[in-house]
Amino acid sequence: FTIQSNSTWTVSSSQPWLVPTPQGGTGNATVTLTASANPATTPREATVTVAANGVPNQPVTVVQQGVPVTAV
Protein backbone atom coordinates (compact mmCIF):
# COMPACT_ATOMS: atom_id res chain seq x y z
CA PHE A 1 0.00 0.00 0.00
CA THR A 2 0.99 3.63 -0.40
CA ILE A 3 1.55 6.17 2.35
CA GLN A 4 1.24 9.86 1.51
CA SER A 5 2.55 11.96 4.37
CA ASN A 6 4.40 15.17 5.12
CA SER A 7 5.65 13.87 8.47
CA THR A 8 7.34 10.89 10.08
CA TRP A 9 5.28 7.69 10.23
CA THR A 10 5.53 4.09 11.43
CA VAL A 11 3.88 0.84 10.36
CA SER A 12 3.47 -2.07 12.76
CA SER A 13 1.89 -5.51 12.67
CA SER A 14 0.12 -7.23 15.55
CA GLN A 15 1.38 -10.66 14.42
CA PRO A 16 4.92 -11.89 13.67
CA TRP A 17 3.78 -13.76 10.51
CA LEU A 18 2.97 -10.44 8.76
CA VAL A 19 5.93 -8.08 8.32
CA PRO A 20 5.69 -4.55 6.85
CA THR A 21 8.67 -3.12 4.94
CA PRO A 22 9.70 -0.41 5.57
CA GLN A 23 8.46 -0.07 9.14
CA GLY A 24 8.87 3.67 9.22
CA GLY A 25 9.92 6.74 7.29
CA THR A 26 9.27 10.35 6.43
CA GLY A 27 7.17 11.52 3.49
CA ASN A 28 5.59 9.34 0.84
CA ALA A 29 6.39 5.63 0.54
CA THR A 30 5.18 2.27 -0.69
CA VAL A 31 4.87 -0.35 2.05
CA THR A 32 5.04 -4.05 1.26
CA LEU A 33 3.46 -6.65 3.55
CA THR A 34 5.15 -10.06 3.58
CA ALA A 35 3.17 -12.95 5.05
CA SER A 36 4.48 -16.35 6.08
CA ALA A 37 2.41 -19.30 4.86
CA ASN A 38 -0.51 -20.23 7.09
CA PRO A 39 -0.06 -23.92 7.99
CA ALA A 40 -3.49 -24.19 9.64
CA THR A 41 -6.79 -24.99 7.92
CA THR A 42 -8.43 -21.99 9.59
CA PRO A 43 -7.95 -18.33 8.66
CA ARG A 44 -5.82 -16.05 10.82
CA GLU A 45 -5.90 -12.30 11.37
CA ALA A 46 -3.41 -9.51 11.91
CA THR A 47 -3.85 -5.78 12.35
CA VAL A 48 -1.46 -3.46 10.54
CA THR A 49 -1.38 0.02 12.05
CA VAL A 50 -0.05 3.17 10.38
CA ALA A 51 0.78 5.92 12.87
CA ALA A 52 1.97 9.50 12.40
CA ASN A 53 2.19 12.54 14.65
CA GLY A 54 -0.93 14.68 14.78
CA VAL A 55 -3.35 12.25 13.10
CA PRO A 56 -5.32 9.25 14.37
CA ASN A 57 -3.78 5.81 13.89
CA GLN A 58 -5.02 3.97 10.81
CA PRO A 59 -5.58 0.25 11.49
CA VAL A 60 -6.13 -2.26 8.68
CA THR A 61 -7.19 -5.86 9.27
CA VAL A 62 -5.50 -8.53 7.15
CA VAL A 63 -7.06 -12.01 6.94
CA GLN A 64 -5.01 -14.89 5.57
CA GLN A 65 -6.90 -18.03 4.57
CA GLY A 66 -5.70 -21.43 5.75
CA VAL A 67 -4.66 -24.35 3.63
CA PRO A 68 -7.56 -26.19 1.98
CA VAL A 69 -8.80 -29.37 3.60
CA THR A 70 -8.36 -32.34 1.30
CA ALA A 71 -9.98 -35.75 1.57
CA VAL A 72 -7.77 -38.82 1.61
Side-chain angles (χ1 to χ4, degrees), residues 11-38:
V11 180
S12 60
S13 172
S14 65
Q15 298 295 323
W17 56 264
L18 186 65
V19 178
T21 304
Q23 295 183 352
T26 301
N28 300 341
T30 298
V31 176
T32 301
L33 299 176
T34 303
S36 300
N38 183 356

Side-chain angles (χ1 to χ4, degrees), residues 3-9 25-29:
I3 292 177
Q4 294 183 335
S5 176
N6 61 0
S7 67
T8 301
W9 50 266
T26 301
N28 300 341

Side-chain angles (χ1 to χ4, degrees), residues 8 43 45 55 58 70:
T8 301
E45 254 182 44
V55 295
Q58 297 295 308
T70 56

